[in-house]
Amino acid sequence: MTGNTEWWRTAVIYQIYPRSFADANGDGMGDLAGITSRLPALAQLGIDAIWLSPFYTSPQRDAGYDVADYCDVDPLFGTLADFDVMLTGAHALGIRVIVDLVPNHTSSAHAWFQAALAAGPGSEERGHYLFREGKGENGELPPNNWESVFGGEAWTRVTEADGTPGQWYLHLFDTTQPDLDWNNPWVREQFRDILRFWLDRGVDGFRVDVAHGMIKADGLPDYTPPTEGGSMGGGTATLEPEISAEPPAPAPYWAQDGVHDIYRDWHELLAEYPGDRVLAAEAWVDPLTEVAKWVRPDEMHQAFNFAYLETPWNAPALRSVIDESLAAFGAVGAPSTWVLSNHDVVRHASRLALTAENLQGHGIGPKTLGLPDPVLGLRRARAATALMLALPGSSYLYQGEELGLPEVIDLPDSARQDPTWFRTNGERYGRDGCRVPIPWTADGPSYGFGPTAASWLPQPTEWATLARDAQQGVTGSTLELYTLALRLRREHELGWGGVSWLDGYGAEVVALTNKTVTVIANAGATSVTLPAGELLLASGPLDGDLLPGDTTVWLRA
């Protein structure tokens, strides 16, 4: 493809969770052909690129983040030929394609791990993973006290070929997701080949899963995580983030300095290819000055701004995190990114109206305290998105947020599939609620998700009123709000702009100018008077020249 150089600096990137986006064959599972069929709708929305969560060969114990073959497509989603058709179709519409890469761990079904099991202790094959002898008189205790992100111990003991209890292997996630040993040169070379495989097919970049993992501290020391942290290592957002605070010591399995050598190597590899191929980091690291280390000029190009995602709908907190983001990323010459929802967190149309703490990865369900008011949640979500899309840099959208989809709370226990639900014995609901297949049509047995009623997670009846065809062309709908915001963002080149704060609107208002647009977001309950000027966009109804609470406007500056 051709286009502006360093397109990723201002891109709006739309995350597709393949199993929940569109189902072409009616088996209840989204697929690559379904994605291809819906590309024109994404082009109409006005996004610049798509990022696909994993579609590789997998036993699907963690919805594809347990990869058994990095260079093939799981039959659930189609074939490599289907991928090529999808990629060609996206490029023809001017949409770039980023694919997910999962380098911290493989599936236990991967040929590498099966070879490690067969080869036995001390073998070269076992050296590709983190096998260790157990503690205790007979090795009956795990090598250390680390806990899995999904709950429970991070170690599983194997039975050796002779039937005796053997070594233990590390899995920061599910027991079927053994961690690779990234200090092993063989592992690094395999992933160079995997990168080349997809780059040669024409992908535009990689979103790197658990990009703050991979390297573990020498000796694998015991570690007890703080109770207030998210499961992936990030902290809990505060109302006034400390920009100058010293970063806490990282867990011995997160944010080790050695990961940066890996990304410098990958940066050089991607630079061999034309078209500004990119690396985007999923790095749950605090504070933002630490996240910025992942996007230094010779490393990755983008890093997800989870500090922004975790910031409450609170004006002082928003101003603070915006300033901190622009300063931290700008200091290393990288664009700030902005994100409000993804496949691992409660959708922001629900999260922004929760009244109790909700840690990343825990999810919500019928017994959750402080469940949101859906009307308030959607109002805040629309206002928050309108603010986010006015900021300079690159933004990420998660499929269905353009429809105002809330978290699905009332999933039957029998339908839940997230490993977190099972590994915590139902103590944490996990992430299924943000992964329910999205609605395309108000009518139809699966609301247009597929040609049959099949749906791998049950869809709520409210999907009919939120379907794309029920919103398209409807003034004031969430779909039309997103479409207008993306068009105006492009026309006014807001991605290339900057933030100048405006005073005089009160403590509960975020007011700024970016290029030719004035943005005023009222996060409080009291209406404020708007200045004179041409109204370009409003996230909700106005009261004459008054901006109600939980509403954002764009005015021509």
Side-chain angles (χ1 to χ4, degrees):
M1 290 185 64
T2 59
N4 292 334
T5 186
E6 297 192 328
W7 59 272
W8 42 271
R9 288 188 173 274
T10 61
V12 175
I13 300 169
Y14 184 98
Q15 180 190 357
I16 291 177
Y17 194 68
R19 57 174 44 219
S20 300
F21 186 68
D23 170 20
N25 63 11
D27 66 354
M29 187 69 62
D31 46 42
L32 293 173
I35 295 171
T36 301
S37 72
R38 298 297 188 179
L39 288 172
L42 296 183
Q44 188 175 37
L45 179 63
I47 52 94
D48 300 300
I50 55 176
W51 148 38
L52 276 66
S53 289
F55 50 84
Y56 312 112
T57 305
S58 166
Q60 302 294 319
R61 289 292 297 267
D62 184 24
Y65 282 91
D66 50 325
V67 180
D69 186 342
Y70 290 91
C71 296
D72 204 355
V73 173
D74 193 285
L76 278 175
F77 304 120
T79 65
L80 276 172
D82 291 328
F83 178 84
D84 292 338
V85 170
M86 184 276 301
L87 182 68
T88 299
H91 283 175
L93 291 168
I95 297 172
R96 290 177 167 85
V97 177
I98 295 169
V99 298
D100 225 314
L101 187 67
V102 189
N104 179 73
H105 50 266
T106 71
S107 166
S108 57
H110 198 292
W112 301 344
F113 190 72
Q114 290 300 306
L117 291 179
S123 64
E124 178 181 340
E125 290 83 357
R126 287 223 171 164
H128 302 154
Y129 292 86
L130 288 161
F131 281 87
R132 295 293 187 271
E133 299 296 335
K135 294 181 178 180
E137 184 176 352
N138 298 301
E140 70 276 10
L141 300 176
N144 66 25
N145 71 341
W146 292 2
E147 295 181 0
S148 163
V149 167
F150 292 155
E153 292 179 346
W155 294 91
T156 291
R157 196 176 193 185
V158 305
T159 299
E160 302 296 356
D162 62 2
T164 61
Q167 291 183 310
W168 298 71
Y169 66 87
L170 177 68
H171 52 87
L172 290 182
F173 294 86
D174 189 62
T175 187
T176 62
Q177 294 168 285
D179 280 45
L180 290 159
D181 186 349
W182 273 88
N183 289 315
N184 189 309
W186 183 90
V187 171
R188 298 194 181 208
E189 189 54 41
Q190 302 313 301
F191 275 86
R192 292 187 192 104
D193 290 344
I194 291 164
L195 291 170
R196 291 189 179 98
F197 177 87
W198 292 105
L199 290 166
D200 289 342
R201 293 194 97 82
V203 304
D204 298 286
F206 302 90
R207 175 266 190 186
V208 181
D209 186 61
V210 196
H212 59 312
M214 299 152 74
I215 298 295
K216 280 69 177 177
D218 291 343
L220 308 183
D222 281 353
Y223 175 76
T224 301
T227 56
E228 71 273 11
S231 64
M232 287 282 280
T236 302
T238 60
L239 292 184
E240 296 188 24
E242 293 289 340
I243 296 176
S244 61
E246 286 295 318
Y253 41 81
W254 297 142
Q256 302 299 303
D257 285 343
V259 298
H260 299 290
D261 291 334
I262 298 169
Y263 302 133
R264 291 186 186 101
D265 179 54
W266 290 6
H267 185 102
E268 292 181 3
L269 192 155
L270 264 66
E272 298 171 7
Y273 289 81
D276 289 313
R277 315 293 177 99
V278 302
L279 293 167
E282 182 206 27
W284 291 86
V285 180
D286 292 322
L288 279 163
T289 49
E290 286 294 299
V291 184
K293 292 179 179 178
W294 271 253
V295 287
R296 288 174 289 196
D298 60 345
E299 295 192 39
M300 306 182 94
H301 303 84
Q302 290 187 345
F304 290 115
N305 191 339
F306 293 124
Y308 187 77
L309 182 151
E310 292 186 319
T311 299
W313 181 239
N314 171 279
L318 287 165
R319 286 193 295 269
S320 181
V321 76
I322 291 169
D323 273 339
E324 183 182 356
S325 300
L326 294 173
F329 290 116
V332 294
S336 183
T337 62
W338 315 100
V339 60
L340 289 168
S341 283
N342 65 31
H343 65 292
D344 281 334
V345 302
V346 173
R347 285 184 175 275
H348 70 283
S350 297
R351 190 183 69 250
L352 293 179
L354 288 171
T355 58
E357 182 182 55
N358 180 255
L359 294 178
Q360 177 269 323
H362 287 208
I364 59 176
K367 297 179 181 179
T368 298
L369 297 177
L371 286 174
D373 174 342
V375 174
L376 177 63
L378 179 58
R379 184 177 180 88
R380 286 181 174 176
R382 289 165 55 102
T385 295
L387 172 61
M388 180 185 83
L389 290 176
L391 298 174
S394 175
S395 292
Y396 279 80
L397 308 178
Y398 177 49
Q399 65 178 39
E401 70 171 81
E402 75 278 15
L403 306 177
L405 297 188
E407 188 85 355
V408 179
I409 297 170
D410 294 320
L411 284 172
D413 290 354
S414 60
R416 296 187 181 276
Q417 300 191 32
D418 192 330
T420 298
W421 167 258
F422 299 102
R423 290 182 62 89
T424 63
N425 296 314
E427 180 183 336
R428 303 177 193 169
Y429 286 102
R431 303 158 295 173
D432 290 324
C434 67
R435 299 176 174 186
V436 174
I438 67 173
W440 293 89
T441 61
D443 297 322
S446 59
Y447 306 108
F449 168 63
T452 70
S455 172
W456 73 278
L457 285 173
Q459 300 164 296
T461 55
E462 68 184 289
W463 261 208
T465 61
L466 297 173
R468 188 177 193 277
D469 73 344
Q471 298 195 43
Q472 189 171 14
V474 177
T475 301
S477 73
T478 303
L479 176 63
E480 292 301 324
L481 173 67
Y482 271 71
T483 304
L484 175 61
L486 292 176
R487 177 174 64 80
L488 291 171
R489 173 187 171 85
R490 193 165 49 249
E491 290 177 355
H492 291 266
E493 298 183 331
L494 300 183
W496 291 109
V499 168
S500 297
W501 296 112
L502 300 175
D503 296 324
Y505 289 94
E508 291 305 313
V509 176
V510 178
L512 61 92
T513 58
N514 180 5
K515 285 198 170 254
T516 56
V517 175
T518 293
V519 182
I520 305 174
N522 186 358
T526 304
S527 296
V528 297
T529 303
L530 291 171
E534 178 188 353
L535 179 67
L536 299 175
L537 174 149
S539 69
L542 305 182
D543 182 12
D545 65 350
L546 295 179
L547 177 66
D550 301 319
T551 308
T552 298
V553 296
W554 295 8
L555 305 169
R556 191 180 298 276

